[in-house]
Amino acid sequence: EVKTYPDNILNDYVKIPSRRFLDDNINLDAHNVFNIMYDIISQRIIIPIYNAYGELIGVKGRANWEVTGDEPKYLYLVPTSMSSTLYGYCQNYEHLAGVDILVFEAEKSVMQCYSYGIRNAVALGGNNLSNIQCKLLLERNPKCIVFMLDNGLGFENIKKNAEKVLSYSKMRNIEVKYWDTSMTLLPDKASPSDYGADTLKEILNTELEVYSSETEVGHIS
């Protein structure tokens, strides 16, 4: 069972916007909706993690400096099981029903999408879809699940995630798509949401492929 915490544990942090996040296409409204804060002691941007019911289950901190060497860019200041939830699920809940759901890797992508006016987005907090996360997606009865994982990820990973969705939805007509990064000009490790609303919309319009079990491994460069 994943532990939940009272909201007052966030009183240790300061409610203030992050210049780094603002410069990274995350607007003030998204700061407020996703409750972005700042930890003066660790000098990290605070990203509260909530479960599907809006209960606090952890706190993630992003370094407010350019990390070097083995320095971790992200740390869990209050540890949690990220595989037990989808970031953005509770905030975007009503916008996920019966539509195409965009599935990103990082929390930042969901906040960027919100800033672009896109509410049908969630994040895994990694690149592997867990059983619980898969069930949460299917509970919203999506038309299509679209994997928007970072550039440079191997196709085997996409295949594993897609096959999990298909195995859980055998009796339902749910399509699975993915970002085919062989078509993109974005740099390695880039998220499709990093470079603004127009770039993301172009990707959604021109760089998606429909997944099937017969899709050849290696289609993504």
Short mmCIF file of all heavy atoms in Angstrom, two decimals, residues 8-47:
data_model
loop_
_atom_site.label_atom_id
_atom_site.label_comp_id
_atom_site.label_asym_id
_atom_site.label_seq_id
_atom_site.Cartn_x
_atom_site.Cartn_y
_atom_site.Cartn_z
N ASN A 8 -0.06 19.35 4.80
CA ASN A 8 0.76 20.30 5.57
C ASN A 8 2.24 19.96 5.59
O ASN A 8 3.05 20.77 6.05
CB ASN A 8 0.22 20.47 7.00
CG ASN A 8 0.26 19.19 7.82
OD1 ASN A 8 0.92 18.21 7.46
ND2 ASN A 8 -0.47 19.19 8.93
N ILE A 9 2.63 18.79 5.06
CA ILE A 9 4.07 18.53 4.97
C ILE A 9 4.71 19.45 3.93
O ILE A 9 5.93 19.66 3.93
CB ILE A 9 4.41 17.06 4.65
CG1 ILE A 9 4.02 16.70 3.21
CG2 ILE A 9 3.77 16.12 5.65
CD1 ILE A 9 4.61 15.38 2.74
N LEU A 10 3.88 20.03 3.05
CA LEU A 10 4.39 20.97 2.05
C LEU A 10 4.67 22.34 2.66
O LEU A 10 5.22 23.21 1.98
CB LEU A 10 3.39 21.11 0.89
CG LEU A 10 3.10 19.82 0.10
CD1 LEU A 10 2.04 20.08 -0.96
CD2 LEU A 10 4.37 19.27 -0.53
N ASN A 11 4.32 22.52 3.92
CA ASN A 11 4.59 23.80 4.59
C ASN A 11 6.08 24.05 4.77
O ASN A 11 6.50 25.17 5.08
CB ASN A 11 3.90 23.85 5.96
CG ASN A 11 2.38 23.92 5.84
OD1 ASN A 11 1.85 24.23 4.78
ND2 ASN A 11 1.68 23.62 6.93
N ASP A 12 6.89 23.00 4.58
CA ASP A 12 8.35 23.15 4.67
C ASP A 12 8.91 23.88 3.45
O ASP A 12 10.08 24.26 3.45
CB ASP A 12 9.02 21.79 4.77
CG ASP A 12 8.73 21.10 6.10
OD1 ASP A 12 8.39 21.80 7.07
OD2 ASP A 12 8.85 19.86 6.16
N TYR A 13 8.08 24.06 2.42
CA TYR A 13 8.54 24.65 1.18
C TYR A 13 7.87 26.00 0.93
O TYR A 13 6.85 26.32 1.54
CB TYR A 13 8.26 23.69 0.01
CG TYR A 13 8.69 22.28 0.28
CD1 TYR A 13 7.78 21.23 0.27
CD2 TYR A 13 10.03 21.99 0.58
CE1 TYR A 13 8.17 19.93 0.54
CE2 TYR A 13 10.43 20.69 0.85
CZ TYR A 13 9.51 19.66 0.84
OH TYR A 13 9.90 18.38 1.12
N VAL A 14 8.43 26.77 0.03
CA VAL A 14 7.94 28.12 -0.26
C VAL A 14 7.12 28.08 -1.55
O VAL A 14 7.54 27.49 -2.55
CB VAL A 14 9.12 29.10 -0.44
CG1 VAL A 14 8.60 30.50 -0.76
CG2 VAL A 14 9.99 29.13 0.81
N LYS A 15 5.95 28.70 -1.50
CA LYS A 15 5.09 28.76 -2.68
C LYS A 15 5.55 29.93 -3.54
O LYS A 15 5.17 31.09 -3.33
CB LYS A 15 3.63 28.95 -2.25
CG LYS A 15 2.63 28.94 -3.40
CD LYS A 15 2.51 27.58 -4.04
CE LYS A 15 1.39 27.56 -5.08
NZ LYS A 15 1.30 26.28 -5.79
N ILE A 16 6.40 29.63 -4.52
CA ILE A 16 6.97 30.67 -5.38
C ILE A 16 7.24 30.07 -6.76
O ILE A 16 7.65 28.90 -6.85
CB ILE A 16 8.27 31.23 -4.75
CG1 ILE A 16 8.79 32.43 -5.54
CG2 ILE A 16 9.34 30.16 -4.64
CD1 ILE A 16 9.95 33.15 -4.85
N PRO A 17 6.99 30.81 -7.83
CA PRO A 17 7.26 30.28 -9.17
C PRO A 17 8.75 30.04 -9.41
O PRO A 17 9.60 30.67 -8.78
CB PRO A 17 6.72 31.37 -10.11
CG PRO A 17 5.83 32.22 -9.27
CD PRO A 17 6.38 32.15 -7.88
N SER A 18 9.02 29.13 -10.31
CA SER A 18 10.40 28.81 -10.68
C SER A 18 10.76 29.50 -11.99
O SER A 18 10.11 29.27 -13.01
CB SER A 18 10.55 27.29 -10.84
OG SER A 18 11.70 26.98 -11.59
N ARG A 19 11.80 30.30 -11.96
CA ARG A 19 12.28 30.95 -13.19
C ARG A 19 12.71 29.88 -14.20
O ARG A 19 12.47 30.02 -15.41
CB ARG A 19 13.43 31.90 -12.87
CG ARG A 19 14.18 32.45 -14.09
CD ARG A 19 13.28 33.07 -15.14
NE ARG A 19 12.52 34.18 -14.61
CZ ARG A 19 11.56 34.80 -15.29
NH1 ARG A 19 11.23 34.39 -16.52
NH2 ARG A 19 10.92 35.82 -14.77
N ARG A 20 13.33 28.82 -13.73
CA ARG A 20 13.76 27.75 -14.63
C ARG A 20 12.56 27.13 -15.34
O ARG A 20 12.60 26.87 -16.54
CB ARG A 20 14.52 26.68 -13.83
CG ARG A 20 15.03 25.50 -14.67
CD ARG A 20 15.82 24.53 -13.81
NE ARG A 20 17.07 25.13 -13.40
CZ ARG A 20 18.19 25.12 -14.11
NH1 ARG A 20 18.20 24.54 -15.32
NH2 ARG A 20 19.28 25.67 -13.66
N PHE A 21 11.48 26.89 -14.62
CA PHE A 21 10.30 26.30 -15.22
C PHE A 21 9.59 27.30 -16.13
O PHE A 21 9.07 26.93 -17.19
CB PHE A 21 9.35 25.80 -14.14
CG PHE A 21 9.65 24.41 -13.65
CD1 PHE A 21 10.84 23.79 -13.94
CD2 PHE A 21 8.72 23.70 -12.90
CE1 PHE A 21 11.13 22.50 -13.50
CE2 PHE A 21 8.98 22.42 -12.45
CZ PHE A 21 10.18 21.81 -12.75
N LEU A 22 9.55 28.56 -15.73
CA LEU A 22 8.94 29.57 -16.60
C LEU A 22 9.67 29.64 -17.94
O LEU A 22 9.05 29.75 -19.00
CB LEU A 22 8.97 30.94 -15.91
CG LEU A 22 8.01 31.12 -14.73
CD1 LEU A 22 8.32 32.43 -14.00
CD2 LEU A 22 6.56 31.11 -15.19
N ASP A 23 11.01 29.59 -17.89
CA ASP A 23 11.81 29.62 -19.12
C ASP A 23 11.65 28.35 -19.94
O ASP A 23 12.01 28.31 -21.11
CB ASP A 23 13.29 29.84 -18.78
CG ASP A 23 13.57 31.23 -18.23
OD1 ASP A 23 12.72 32.13 -18.43
OD2 ASP A 23 14.63 31.42 -17.60
N ASP A 24 11.12 27.30 -19.29
CA ASP A 24 10.97 26.00 -19.94
C ASP A 24 9.51 25.75 -20.34
O ASP A 24 9.05 24.61 -20.37
CB ASP A 24 11.45 24.90 -19.00
CG ASP A 24 12.04 23.71 -19.75
OD1 ASP A 24 12.18 23.79 -20.98
OD2 ASP A 24 12.33 22.69 -19.10
N ASN A 25 8.81 26.84 -20.64
CA ASN A 25 7.44 26.76 -21.19
C ASN A 25 6.42 26.22 -20.20
O ASN A 25 5.43 25.59 -20.60
CB ASN A 25 7.43 25.91 -22.47
CG ASN A 25 8.23 26.53 -23.59
OD1 ASN A 25 8.17 27.74 -23.80
ND2 ASN A 25 8.99 25.71 -24.31
N ILE A 26 6.62 26.49 -18.90
CA ILE A 26 5.63 26.14 -17.88
C ILE A 26 5.13 27.45 -17.28
O ILE A 26 5.87 28.13 -16.57
CB ILE A 26 6.22 25.22 -16.80
CG1 ILE A 26 6.68 23.90 -17.43
CG2 ILE A 26 5.21 24.97 -15.69
CD1 ILE A 26 7.46 23.00 -16.49
N ASN A 27 3.89 27.82 -17.58
CA ASN A 27 3.41 29.14 -17.20
C ASN A 27 2.95 29.19 -15.73
O ASN A 27 2.92 28.17 -15.02
CB ASN A 27 2.32 29.64 -18.16
CG ASN A 27 1.05 28.80 -18.11
OD1 ASN A 27 0.79 28.08 -17.15
ND2 ASN A 27 0.23 28.93 -19.15
N LEU A 28 2.56 30.38 -15.29
CA LEU A 28 2.17 30.57 -13.90
C LEU A 28 0.93 29.78 -13.53
O LEU A 28 0.81 29.27 -12.41
CB LEU A 28 1.95 32.06 -13.61
CG LEU A 28 3.21 32.92 -13.52
CD1 LEU A 28 2.83 34.40 -13.38
CD2 LEU A 28 4.09 32.49 -12.35
N ASP A 29 0.00 29.68 -14.46
CA ASP A 29 -1.22 28.92 -14.19
C ASP A 29 -0.88 27.46 -13.91
O ASP A 29 -1.42 26.84 -12.99
CB ASP A 29 -2.17 29.04 -15.38
CG ASP A 29 -3.56 28.54 -15.06
OD1 ASP A 29 -3.90 28.47 -13.86
OD2 ASP A 29 -4.32 28.24 -16.00
N ALA A 30 0.03 26.89 -14.71
CA ALA A 30 0.45 25.51 -14.48
C ALA A 30 1.18 25.37 -13.15
O ALA A 30 1.01 24.37 -12.44
CB ALA A 30 1.36 25.06 -15.62
N HIS A 31 1.99 26.37 -12.78
CA HIS A 31 2.63 26.35 -11.45
C HIS A 31 1.59 26.18 -10.36
O HIS A 31 1.78 25.41 -9.41
CB HIS A 31 3.40 27.66 -11.22
CG HIS A 31 4.78 27.69 -11.77
ND1 HIS A 31 5.05 27.78 -13.12
CD2 HIS A 31 5.99 27.65 -11.16
CE1 HIS A 31 6.35 27.81 -13.31
NE2 HIS A 31 6.96 27.71 -12.13
N ASN A 32 0.49 26.91 -10.47
CA ASN A 32 -0.54 26.88 -9.44
C ASN A 32 -1.31 25.56 -9.45
O ASN A 32 -1.54 24.96 -8.39
CB ASN A 32 -1.50 28.05 -9.62
CG ASN A 32 -0.87 29.39 -9.29
OD1 ASN A 32 -0.02 29.47 -8.39
ND2 ASN A 32 -1.25 30.44 -10.01
N VAL A 33 -1.72 25.10 -10.62
CA VAL A 33 -2.52 23.89 -10.72
C VAL A 33 -1.74 22.67 -10.21
O VAL A 33 -2.29 21.81 -9.52
CB VAL A 33 -2.97 23.67 -12.18
CG1 VAL A 33 -3.55 22.27 -12.37
CG2 VAL A 33 -4.01 24.72 -12.56
N PHE A 34 -0.44 22.62 -10.52
CA PHE A 34 0.37 21.47 -10.12
C PHE A 34 1.14 21.73 -8.82
O PHE A 34 1.97 20.91 -8.41
CB PHE A 34 1.31 21.07 -11.27
CG PHE A 34 0.56 20.58 -12.48
CD1 PHE A 34 0.26 21.43 -13.53
CD2 PHE A 34 0.11 19.27 -12.54
CE1 PHE A 34 -0.46 20.99 -14.64
CE2 PHE A 34 -0.61 18.82 -13.64
CZ PHE A 34 -0.89 19.68 -14.70
N ASN A 35 0.86 22.87 -8.19
CA ASN A 35 1.37 23.19 -6.85
C ASN A 35 2.90 23.18 -6.78
O ASN A 35 3.50 22.64 -5.85
CB ASN A 35 0.80 22.21 -5.81
CG ASN A 35 0.78 22.80 -4.42
OD1 ASN A 35 0.89 24.01 -4.24
ND2 ASN A 35 0.65 21.95 -3.41
N ILE A 36 3.53 23.80 -7.77
CA ILE A 36 4.99 23.87 -7.80
C ILE A 36 5.49 24.81 -6.69
O ILE A 36 4.97 25.91 -6.51
CB ILE A 36 5.47 24.36 -9.19
CG1 ILE A 36 5.00 23.39 -10.27
CG2 ILE A 36 6.99 24.49 -9.21
CD1 ILE A 36 5.40 21.95 -10.04
N MET A 37 6.52 24.36 -5.96
CA MET A 37 7.04 25.12 -4.83
C MET A 37 8.57 25.13 -4.90
O MET A 37 9.16 24.73 -5.90
CB MET A 37 6.54 24.50 -3.52
CG MET A 37 5.03 24.33 -3.47
SD MET A 37 4.40 23.61 -1.94
CE MET A 37 4.43 25.06 -0.89
N TYR A 38 9.20 25.59 -3.82
CA TYR A 38 10.67 25.67 -3.80
C TYR A 38 11.19 25.31 -2.41
O TYR A 38 10.60 25.72 -1.39
CB TYR A 38 11.14 27.08 -4.18
CG TYR A 38 12.62 27.14 -4.49
CD1 TYR A 38 13.11 26.60 -5.66
CD2 TYR A 38 13.52 27.73 -3.61
CE1 TYR A 38 14.46 26.63 -5.96
CE2 TYR A 38 14.87 27.77 -3.89
CZ TYR A 38 15.33 27.21 -5.07
OH TYR A 38 16.68 27.25 -5.36
N ASP A 39 12.26 24.54 -2.39
CA ASP A 39 12.90 24.16 -1.13
C ASP A 39 14.19 24.96 -0.95
O ASP A 39 15.16 24.74 -1.68
CB ASP A 39 13.21 22.66 -1.13
CG ASP A 39 13.85 22.21 0.18
OD1 ASP A 39 13.68 22.90 1.20
OD2 ASP A 39 14.52 21.16 0.17
N ILE A 40 14.18 25.88 -0.03
CA ILE A 40 15.33 26.76 0.18
C ILE A 40 16.54 25.96 0.65
O ILE A 40 17.68 26.25 0.28
CB ILE A 40 14.97 27.86 1.20
CG1 ILE A 40 13.89 28.78 0.62
CG2 ILE A 40 16.20 28.67 1.58
CD1 ILE A 40 13.35 29.79 1.61
N ILE A 41 16.32 24.92 1.46
CA ILE A 41 17.44 24.16 2.02
C ILE A 41 18.18 23.38 0.94
O ILE A 41 19.41 23.47 0.83
CB ILE A 41 16.93 23.21 3.12
CG1 ILE A 41 16.38 24.02 4.30
CG2 ILE A 41 18.05 22.28 3.59
CD1 ILE A 41 15.74 23.18 5.37
N SER A 42 17.45 22.61 0.14
CA SER A 42 18.12 21.78 -0.89
C SER A 42 18.31 22.53 -2.20
O SER A 42 18.97 22.02 -3.10
CB SER A 42 17.30 20.52 -1.15
OG SER A 42 16.08 20.83 -1.81
N GLN A 43 17.70 23.73 -2.32
CA GLN A 43 17.75 24.51 -3.56
C GLN A 43 17.18 23.73 -4.74
O GLN A 43 17.72 23.74 -5.85
CB GLN A 43 19.19 24.95 -3.85
CG GLN A 43 19.78 25.89 -2.83
CD GLN A 43 19.10 27.27 -2.85
OE1 GLN A 43 19.23 28.00 -3.82
NE2 GLN A 43 18.38 27.60 -1.79
N ARG A 44 16.06 23.07 -4.46
CA ARG A 44 15.39 22.29 -5.50
C ARG A 44 13.96 22.79 -5.73
O ARG A 44 13.29 23.24 -4.79
CB ARG A 44 15.37 20.79 -5.15
CG ARG A 44 16.74 20.15 -5.28
CD ARG A 44 16.72 18.66 -4.95
NE ARG A 44 18.05 18.09 -5.16
CZ ARG A 44 18.48 17.58 -6.31
NH1 ARG A 44 17.66 17.53 -7.35
NH2 ARG A 44 19.70 17.11 -6.43
N ILE A 45 13.52 22.69 -6.96
CA ILE A 45 12.14 23.00 -7.32
C ILE A 45 11.28 21.82 -6.88
O ILE A 45 11.60 20.66 -7.17
CB ILE A 45 12.01 23.22 -8.84
CG1 ILE A 45 12.97 24.32 -9.30
CG2 ILE A 45 10.58 23.55 -9.22
CD1 ILE A 45 13.23 24.30 -10.79
N ILE A 46 10.22 22.10 -6.17
CA ILE A 46 9.40 21.04 -5.58
C ILE A 46 8.22 20.68 -6.49
O ILE A 46 7.45 21.55 -6.91
CB ILE A 46 8.88 21.49 -4.20
CG1 ILE A 46 10.05 21.67 -3.23
CG2 ILE A 46 7.86 20.50 -3.65
CD1 ILE A 46 10.90 20.43 -3.04
N ILE A 47 8.10 19.38 -6.76
CA ILE A 47 7.01 18.84 -7.57
C ILE A 47 6.26 17.83 -6.71
O ILE A 47 6.70 16.69 -6.54
CB ILE A 47 7.53 18.16 -8.84
CG1 ILE A 47 8.43 19.09 -9.66
CG2 ILE A 47 6.37 17.64 -9.69
CD1 ILE A 47 9.15 18.42 -10.81
#
